[in-house]
Amino acid sequence: MDKICISGGRPLLGTVNIGGMKNAALPIIFATVLVNDVCVLENLPEVRDIATALEIIKRMGAEVERLSRGNYRIDTRGIRCGSAPLDLAREMRGSYYILGAELGRFGRSATGFPGGCNFGVRPIDQHIKGFEALGAKVICSDDAVSCYAERRLSGAPVYMDVASVGATVNIMLAAATAEGMTVIDNAAREPHIVDLANFLNSCGANISGAGTEVIKIRGVDELHGVTYAIIPDMIEAGTYMIAAAATKSTLTIKNVIPRHLEATTRKLLEVGVDVDEGDDFVTVSYVGALRKARVKTDFYPGFPTDMNPQFCVLLCLAEGQSTLTESVMDHRFKYTDELTRMGAKITVSGRDALIEGVSELHGANVRAVDLRAGAAMVIAGLSAPGTTVIDDVYHIERGYEDMVGKLRGVGADIRYLSDLMPTPKA
Ligand code: EPU
């Protein structure tokens, strides 16, 4: 298993290009199963979770052809219902979108219980509630979920008790070809929900209100293939914005939608970092000592939970006592033990972290305990004088495209440990 090695404490300078958004690409890849035609998806990030999603639909009978970097032709006409490979499905969270897609197309589905980052229990009760409202029966075992409908799904009102991204996606997929109108109340408002609605609408669906808390889906009889480009990844962008601030640098983050970054931008301005917005870029500059802040994660447009670990690193380097409250996921602070090894002073109590700023962190051997925590270790390592070695970096590769290459491109001393090993003689 490879590790990432960073010689930190040096400033970065230049431009980082942002790729397509993993959490928008996943629902859209599984939505192609529902579309039952040929789609060309552009700007797919070339990361492990996307490769796994493409492999899953391939094993289900789709033809997947890589046209060029990030651009794929996907023909789902040959999909065999119920053929999702359970082992692969269990590797990632987004695989549960098979349920909504297959239910919408075939009226039944089965898949492995979804995996993904371990933030404690991640229930799927809201997905089940939605499927049942549309007329499906759902059966869960310890490691698999199956659902079926005796007749065509029928549109219905669904009130979500929590504005879950995954459940909103799954209900949209199941309802797109149901009979009549589905209204999702208290829906997730994340940009990836809007991207899925835009994709489905360009395939012939009739969805309105995506991006607000009420989404209306009038079912259509069938969908057709399209060419569609995925939106830029706001979490990848936010990660490099924080890397700029933590390393006392200036970075331009390009190919972004600045509106999606507003929560992160606001908090960066609050701690004393300059952010200059253009049409499709932001330039982030460190201009002096970082100030303490109170940060609370929330559903979009609140501060994203997927930026919690990265922003924590910045608060570790800010003067005074900051607080970071996690209000979306149950257990998101496992990574703080790793930051403590680097000299951070963090006290966690339930969903709250109290952070005592230090003047600098120091290099250490740490682990990526999950995807965003891994990105936080990279930021901490870049900021800290000395050598940081990060283990379990496969987590990072699940969601960041060529993070090592992109950071080397702006002057970071970062590499895979395997690249430092002498090549064995033939
Ligand atoms: N929840 C329920 N019941 C449900 C579904 C969710 O109680 O049926 C709760 C969860 O336990 C959690 C909260 O609702 O406390 C939010 O969960 P949500 O369903 O919104 O999250 P998700 O769909 O499982 C996606 C992203 C995560 C991201 C969250 C929140 C994908 C594949 N995953 O997960 O992304 O943290 O939304 O924005 O889209 C990541 O990319 O690093 C990542 C973890």
Side-chain angles (χ1 to χ4, degrees):
M1 201 83 76
D2 214 347
K3 300 180 185 183
I4 287 177
C5 181
I6 302 170
S7 181
R10 60 187 72 199
L12 311 175
L13 184 65
T15 299
V16 180
N17 286 307
I18 299 305
M21 184 166 184
K22 167 182 81 79
N23 290 346
L26 287 172
I28 291 174
I29 288 172
F30 289 111
T32 65
V33 172
L34 174 70
V35 171
N36 187 15
D37 199 0
V38 180
C39 292
V40 174
L41 298 185
E42 298 173 343
N43 204 31
L44 286 182
E46 303 245 348
V47 297
R48 198 182 293 248
D49 273 6
I50 296 301
T52 307
L54 292 172
E55 183 59 28
I56 289 174
I57 62 165
K58 230 157 118 176
R59 295 219 207 150
M60 291 168 71
E63 280 176 27
V64 177
E65 186 192 349
R66 186 177 190 264
L67 302 174
S68 57
R69 189 170 183 86
N71 300 327
Y72 287 76
R73 178 185 181 278
I74 300 175
D75 180 351
T76 58
R77 288 172 295 184
I79 290 268
R80 298 171 303 274
C81 176
S83 58
L86 301 191
D87 50 336
L88 274 188
R90 285 192 197 105
E91 278 181 23
M92 62 185 300
R93 193 84 199 146
S95 63
Y96 56 18
Y97 299 143
I98 293 168
L99 293 170
E102 280 197 323
L103 199 54
R105 173 163 163 190
F106 301 109
R108 62 195 167 87
S109 178
T111 186
F113 216 86
C117 294
N118 181 2
F119 306 135
V121 184
R122 293 176 75 180
I124 60 163
D125 56 303
Q126 300 303 305
H127 305 239
I128 296 172
K129 181 178 175 178
F131 294 152
E132 287 178 344
L134 300 180
K137 298 246 181 325
V138 182
I139 300 158
C140 293
S141 67
D142 283 350
D143 58 357
V145 195
S146 57
C147 45
Y148 65 94
E150 270 153 16
R151 55 186 74 84
R152 184 176 174 189
L153 293 175
S154 151
V158 183
Y159 179 82
M160 302 226 307
D161 303 300
V162 42
S164 153
V165 169
T168 304
V169 166
N170 251 335
I171 299 166
M172 285 166 73
L173 291 174
T177 52
E179 190 158 16
M181 174 84 101
T182 297
V183 180
I184 310 176
D185 212 333
N186 195 28
R189 288 178 283 165
E190 271 68 5
H192 22 310
I193 299 292
V194 179
D195 211 30
L196 174 65
N198 288 343
F199 168 75
L200 288 172
N201 281 343
S202 51
C203 296
N206 185 347
I207 301 174
S208 59
T212 76
E213 57 198 25
V214 181
I215 300 179
K216 293 185 177 162
I217 306 147
R218 188 175 292 283
V220 295
D221 288 339
E222 58 177 19
L223 301 170
H224 56 78
V226 286
T227 295
Y228 190 82
I230 310 293
I231 54 169
D233 195 321
M234 63 182 196
I235 304 298
E236 186 193 19
T239 300
Y240 290 110
M241 290 168 80
I242 292 172
T247 54
K248 305 186 176 174
S249 308
T250 295
L251 284 182
T252 294
I253 323 291
K254 194 147 169 51
N255 301 335
V256 299
I257 299 174
R259 189 166 39 85
H260 294 168
L261 304 173
E262 263 166 24
T264 304
T265 299
R266 273 197 302 272
K267 281 295 164 192
L268 282 171
L269 293 172
E270 202 177 308
V271 299
V273 176
D274 255 12
V275 182
D276 179 28
E277 279 184 16
D279 285 345
D280 70 342
F281 69 88
V282 289
T283 297
V284 179
S285 309
Y286 175 90
V287 285
L290 301 170
R291 296 191 290 266
K292 65 182 179 183
R294 284 176 60 184
V295 180
K296 185 176 176 197
T297 67
D298 211 339
F299 297 100
Y300 189 86
F303 187 85
T305 175
D306 289 343
M307 293 297 295
N308 163 332
Q310 304 91 312
F311 211 85
C312 185
V313 176
L314 207 56
L315 297 178
C316 287
L317 299 169
E319 287 175 349
Q321 212 173 57
S322 297
T323 58
L324 175 56
T325 301
E326 173 57 49
S327 52
V328 177
M329 296 296 180
D330 274 342
H331 296 287
R332 198 143 200 176
F333 283 121
K334 283 191 211 123
Y335 68 87
T336 55
D337 289 344
E338 307 300 311
L339 286 182
T340 304
R341 285 178 214 278
M342 302 181 72
K345 292 192 180 148
I346 309 172
T347 314
V348 176
S349 166
R351 286 180 170 223
D352 296 303
L354 187 66
I355 301 153
E356 193 71 55
V358 293
S359 56
E360 60 183 23
L361 299 171
H362 55 76
N365 290 350
V366 292
R367 278 180 58 226
V369 298
D370 60 57
L371 166 57
R372 308 303 170 186
M377 295 308 129
V378 170
I379 296 172
L382 292 170
S383 81
T387 302
T388 294
V389 177
I390 308 172
D391 206 345
D392 291 344
V393 296
Y394 61 91
H395 282 296
I396 300 175
E397 293 159 357
R398 283 186 35 225
Y400 287 92
E401 183 170 344
D402 191 22
M403 191 180 219
V404 166
K406 288 186 185 185
L407 285 167
R408 285 172 66 80
V410 291
D413 188 339
I414 177 171
R415 60 199 74 223
Y416 280 100
L417 215 52
S418 56
D419 293 337
L420 292 171
M421 308 287 184
T423 333
K425 292 203 176 88

